[in-house]
């Protein structure tokens, strides 16, 4: 039996779960990454899908890793 260490709805690093315009929310501080806006803190251009963020990217508000972000329905 495998055990998941992510909340239901978490991205968990599986890019197959998300599309290029999927918005995701930090499970710690509730910051939302919207691909349409990009990320000014990390100098990520508007239109950048969450799956294309660099591996070192973290939440600009609380520094949480992107694997813990949750898909916004």
């Amino acid at each position: 039996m495998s055990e998941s260490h992510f909340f239901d709805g978490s991205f968990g690093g599986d890019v197959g779960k998300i599309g290029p315009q999927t918005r995701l929310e930090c499970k710690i501080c509730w910051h939302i990454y919207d691909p349409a806006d990009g990320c000014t803190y990390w100098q990520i251009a508007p239109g950048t899908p969450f799956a294309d963020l660099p591996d070192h990217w973290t939440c600009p508000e609380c520094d949480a890793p992107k694997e813990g972000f949750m898909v916004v329905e």
Side-chain angles (χ1 to χ4, degrees):
M1 176 164 85
S2 70
E3 188 175 317
S4 175
H5 297 287
F6 298 104
F7 290 112
D8 284 341
S10 289
F11 164 64
D14 182 359
V15 295
K17 291 182 176 180
I18 61 175
Q21 296 179 357
T22 302
R23 296 168 60 225
L24 290 103
E25 180 176 59
C26 178
K27 69 180 182 183
I28 296 172
C29 73
W30 312 114
H31 170 79
I32 293 182
Y33 178 80
D34 186 340
D37 298 332
C39 178
T40 55
Y41 179 83
W42 283 99
Q43 299 178 354
I44 304 295
T48 302
F50 193 83
D52 291 346
L53 294 175
D55 291 339
H56 65 272
W57 187 90
T58 58
C59 178
E61 299 293 326
C62 73
D63 208 32
K66 66 182 185 178
E67 289 80 14
F69 272 62
M70 300 178 295
V71 174
V72 175
E73 299 294 331

